[in-house]
Amino acid sequence: NTSYTLILLVRSHPRSTQRRSSAASDVYKRQPLYGFGAKPRFPGLFLNQTSHCFPLTGDVNNPDVYGLEGIMNAYNNSLLQMELSGPTYFNPLIQEASKLAQEIKNKNLDIYTILLILTDGAIHDMQATIDTICNAAYLPLSIIIVGLGTEDFTNMTILDGDDGLYNSRGELAKRDLVQFVPFAQFRNDPVELARNLLEEVPEQLVQYYTTVSYTHLTLPTIYSVQISVVAASFKKK
């Protein structure tokens, strides 16, 4: 089977002592949700070519969903409104996340974005993806990749970049911002799964604020980080 999966952009909002209002808390639970590797067949988004980044809401002007229930509802509904198709490209997804992170950086907002990708490991734009990840090292962004199934995850391990990630010009990424976790390894242990998913995020955030964003020398306190792992993928048999 070939998996066509989704991404979840999760924003953590650094603050020190500010208390959250109910309105602010409501906003924080809304996350943009995208799919890739399919031809959307939504009433407001109908494409004849394979899309590598489309909102699972079917609304190009509003990709946001609310909480875990919103994620699952949008996911299940989208399965009925798409034609699964390859190849699998990561680069458009990471570019979309980078665009959002760049907008946040330009506005000097204390928001750190986490991009969650669920995938079977297939990728057909490896070098372009590496180049985009290296560029994203300068943005308030981390990428968590969850490998589903038992396919070859060699490329995902390379993207993890623990031994360094080099772009097509031979330049080393400014910092590590990718964490890869194989879901099957922790299938029966959700606590350990969550620990491994988030294990590198604190250090990645610190690296960003201390080596890239020199205007934020006083590290913020992260008071809201919400990650919902949806262990499902689009399947084409």
Side-chain angles (χ1 to χ4, degrees), residues 76-134:
N76 291 327
N77 180 62
S78 68
L79 291 175
L80 305 175
Q81 303 187 74
M82 66 176 67
E83 177 185 335
L84 305 178
S85 178
T88 301
Y89 294 155
F90 275 25
N91 191 41
L93 302 171
I94 299 175
Q95 285 184 332
E96 178 67 20
S98 296
K99 182 178 72 175
L100 296 177
Q102 183 66 64
E103 292 174 355
I104 289 168
K105 184 177 181 179
N106 291 345
K107 295 177 181 179
N108 292 318
L109 300 175
D110 284 333
I111 298 176
Y112 191 86
T113 298
I114 299 173
L115 166 62
L116 177 64
I117 303 178
L118 310 184
T119 179
D120 69 346
I123 180 173
H124 298 93
D125 61 345
M126 186 68 172
Q127 189 57 62
T129 296
I130 291 175
D131 287 347
T132 298
I133 290 174
C134 289

Side-chain angles (χ1 to χ4, degrees), residues 2-236:
T2 301
S3 296
Y4 300 92
T5 58
L6 53 84
I7 67 173
L8 172 65
L9 296 178
V10 185
R11 298 169 186 145
S12 62
H13 302 255
R15 294 289 186 272
S16 54
T17 58
Q18 181 179 347
R19 300 178 66 88
R20 285 179 293 172
S21 66
S22 58
S25 179
D26 181 75
V27 169
Y28 298 158
K29 293 179 181 179
R30 294 187 178 276
Q31 312 297 344
L33 189 66
Y34 296 87
F36 64 100
K39 298 176 182 178
R41 295 289 191 256
F42 298 97
L45 180 61
F46 192 100
L47 299 178
N48 290 319
Q49 69 272 15
T50 301
S51 176
H52 305 292
C53 184
F54 61 92
L56 288 187
T57 59
D59 185 349
V60 295
N61 296 314
N62 183 23
D64 288 3
V65 296
Y66 186 84
L68 181 58
E69 183 178 358
I71 293 172
M72 295 307 302
N73 287 341
Y75 178 83
N76 291 327
N77 180 62
S78 68
L79 291 175
L80 305 175
Q81 303 187 74
M82 66 176 67
E83 177 185 335
L84 305 178
S85 178
T88 301
Y89 294 155
F90 275 25
N91 191 41
L93 302 171
I94 299 175
Q95 285 184 332
E96 178 67 20
S98 296
K99 182 178 72 175
L100 296 177
Q102 183 66 64
E103 292 174 355
I104 289 168
K105 184 177 181 179
N106 291 345
K107 295 177 181 179
N108 292 318
L109 300 175
D110 284 333
I111 298 176
Y112 191 86
T113 298
I114 299 173
L115 166 62
L116 177 64
I117 303 178
L118 310 184
T119 179
D120 69 346
I123 180 173
H124 298 93
D125 61 345
M126 186 68 172
Q127 189 57 62
T129 296
I130 291 175
D131 287 347
T132 298
I133 290 174
C134 289
N135 292 336
Y138 294 90
L139 300 173
L141 175 68
S142 283
I143 301 170
I144 297 175
I145 302 174
V146 180
L148 303 177
T150 57
E151 302 296 328
D152 182 2
F153 291 118
T154 300
N155 284 334
M156 301 302 101
T157 301
I158 293 173
L159 294 180
D160 191 298
D162 285 342
D163 297 324
L165 194 64
Y166 293 83
N167 64 19
S168 55
R169 298 183 299 275
E171 300 166 340
L172 178 66
K174 178 72 173 178
R175 65 184 179 93
D176 177 23
L177 66 154
V178 180
Q179 168 75 333
F180 167 67
V181 176
F183 176 77
Q185 185 175 336
F186 307 101
R187 179 186 300 274
N188 299 316
D189 193 341
V191 174
E192 191 65 13
L193 173 63
R195 188 189 70 79
N196 278 268
L197 287 174
L198 298 173
E199 185 176 24
E200 295 185 3
V201 171
E203 182 178 353
Q204 291 172 359
L205 184 145
V206 169
Q207 285 181 346
Y208 171 74
Y209 279 102
T210 56
T211 66
V212 178
S213 182
Y214 298 107
T215 58
H216 293 75
L217 295 180
T218 301
L219 294 179
T221 299
I222 302 301
Y223 70 79
S224 175
V225 178
Q226 301 169 355
I227 294 185
S228 301
V229 180
V230 184
S233 62
F234 303 140
K235 292 291 186 181
K236 181 181 181 182

